[in-house]
Amino acid sequence: MTVDKKAIALSFSRAAPRYDSVARVQRQVGDAMLAVLAGSAQPVETALDIGCGTGTLTIKLAPFARHITALDIAPGMLSVAKQNDRQGVISEFVCADAEQLPFSAEQFDLVFSSFALQWCDELAQVLADVYRLLKPGGRFLFSIPVENTLRELKLSWQKAENRYHHVNDFLSVVQLQTLLVQSPFQTLQLKECLDMVYYETVRELTRELKTLGAHQVTSNRAHSLTGKKTLFKMMSNYEHFRNHQGMLPASWHYCVIALQKPATITPETKEASQ
Ligand SMILES: C[S@@+](CC[C@H](N)C(=O)[O-])C[C@H]1O[C@@H](n2cnc3c(N)ncnc32)[C@H](O)[C@@H]1O
């Protein structure tokens, strides 16, 4: 997939003011990640949050790091993050692309990222770059949606129209594991999770995705307005998933991953990171 970065920045900037009102899955995922940190980490000196969004999670990194940098590609998200940071726990706000991180080597003890790296073309490259930014012994904790996320919506669209992608493709767990094995990191944890969210109507779901800014932004997205007929077909296809309680499910399938840069760099790990 080729991701349109300008479209992402625009879509998330527009979504920023209302993002927190609908980010319930994102909050749940974030809390699971903070629990991982609380269970294991000593407070560190420097942390970076990639794809910080409105900063709600970034602020919660305060007990774990003294100097926190928040990075996002969407200026609108960073503006809301600044407003939300009333206590001033975030030291630095950086508008940049996760695939072109503007930092020098061995600057951070902790790199954190929740539900942002799915918007990158080359996760392998991001892993290599984060490895470079981390101090020896530093950790990278991230969460990412995987293959079955929004599968009901994807299948409903596919049956209605095959020409365009209406839902992003996510990596499979196997692809993710392969990337991790090929990276120079030590994997401390890979936890696979499935959360279901229920809606009364398909419109409720699509409206929520729009409010999140989580539009379809790959190069094969439907450029023209989708016809009403196709939209109704998709909505009628989605009805097949209605459950016994009369609700429509939406799957959020994701992994929470904790990685570590070895404290002692051997010639092999050094070579792997180059
Ligand atoms: C679903 S939101 C998650 C925000 C936050 N981490 C949270 O959990 O609430 C995804 C965020 O990633 C940002 N993002 C997407 N692609 C990015 C990229 N290539 N570089 C930096 N940030 C990116 C978006 O602007 C958005 O703020």
Side-chain angles (χ1 to χ4, degrees):
M1 105 180 150
T2 309
V3 171
D4 182 342
K5 297 286 172 82
K6 274 193 187 153
I8 290 180
L10 193 65
S11 176
F12 278 107
S13 281
R14 280 193 186 135
R18 294 191 56 219
Y19 175 89
D20 282 330
S21 67
V22 285
R24 45 182 161 167
V25 175
Q26 288 71 9
R27 290 293 78 86
Q28 239 166 275
V29 176
D31 287 342
M33 294 175 72
L34 293 169
V36 173
L37 280 182
S40 57
Q42 297 291 322
V44 295
E45 203 53 45
T46 48
L48 166 68
D49 184 6
I50 301 177
C52 65
T54 57
T56 311
L57 269 176
T58 325
I59 292 162
K60 292 184 183 171
L61 292 178
F64 309 108
R66 274 175 277 277
H67 186 283
I68 300 171
T69 303
L71 176 143
D72 205 283
I73 200 169
M77 281 290 189
L78 289 168
S79 302
V80 175
K82 278 179 200 164
Q83 284 165 27
N84 284 344
D85 184 22
R86 286 182 204 92
Q87 312 281 330
V89 302
I90 301 172
S91 313
E92 214 185 343
F93 294 86
V94 178
C95 190
D97 182 352
E99 293 189 83
Q100 291 182 10
L101 293 167
F103 304 106
S104 43
E106 302 193 357
Q107 203 175 321
F108 297 101
D109 298 288
L110 171 70
V111 176
F112 182 93
S113 181
S114 188
F115 264 42
L117 300 181
Q118 69 274 22
W119 305 106
C120 293
D121 274 320
E122 292 290 340
L123 185 57
Q125 190 49 47
V126 178
L127 287 172
D129 218 16
V130 170
Y131 187 90
R132 181 183 66 81
L133 302 184
L134 280 171
K135 297 177 192 171
R139 296 197 307 156
F140 181 23
L141 180 63
F142 73 100
S143 63
I144 187 165
V146 290
E147 61 210 83
N148 288 322
T149 287
L150 300 175
R151 61 177 279 278
E152 301 83 1
L153 183 62
K154 190 172 199 161
L155 288 170
S156 303
W157 269 121
Q158 274 169 359
K159 273 200 199 164
E161 171 182 67
N162 232 338
R163 266 182 310 158
Y164 296 115
H165 277 91
H166 288 271
V167 180
N168 283 334
D169 287 326
F170 298 103
L171 288 179
S172 69
V173 177
V174 170
Q175 283 172 322
L176 190 56
Q177 281 168 330
T178 307
L179 285 176
L180 296 180
V181 168
Q182 288 168 350
S183 86
F185 279 108
Q186 290 170 346
T187 301
L188 303 177
Q189 177 187 315
L190 187 152
K191 193 171 168 214
E192 188 181 342
C193 312
L194 180 67
D195 288 354
M196 302 303 293
V197 182
Y198 295 92
Y199 300 87
E200 281 176 13
T201 63
V202 184
R203 278 202 193 280
E204 237 181 89
L205 164 65
T206 52
R207 217 175 289 139
E208 194 166 295
L209 291 175
K210 198 168 173 192
T211 310
L212 281 171
H215 291 73
Q216 215 285 328
V217 284
T218 60
S219 60
N220 191 31
R221 71 189 189 274
H223 286 282
S224 59
L225 285 176
T226 299
K228 269 195 179 158
K229 215 166 138 191
T230 317
L231 184 68
F232 285 132
K233 244 196 232 171
M234 178 282 278
M235 286 160 75
S236 132
N237 293 337
Y238 210 124
E239 287 302 317
H240 295 294
F241 294 102
R242 202 172 278 282
N243 66 15
H244 293 305
Q245 285 79 40
M247 299 298 281
L248 295 171
S251 305
W252 286 92
H253 180 203
Y254 58 92
C255 289
V256 175
I257 297 140
L259 306 175
Q260 184 156 38
K261 178 169 178 171
T264 320
I265 310 291
T266 64
E268 293 85 60
T269 49
K270 190 167 184 195
E271 198 178 296
S273 70
Q274 285 168 348

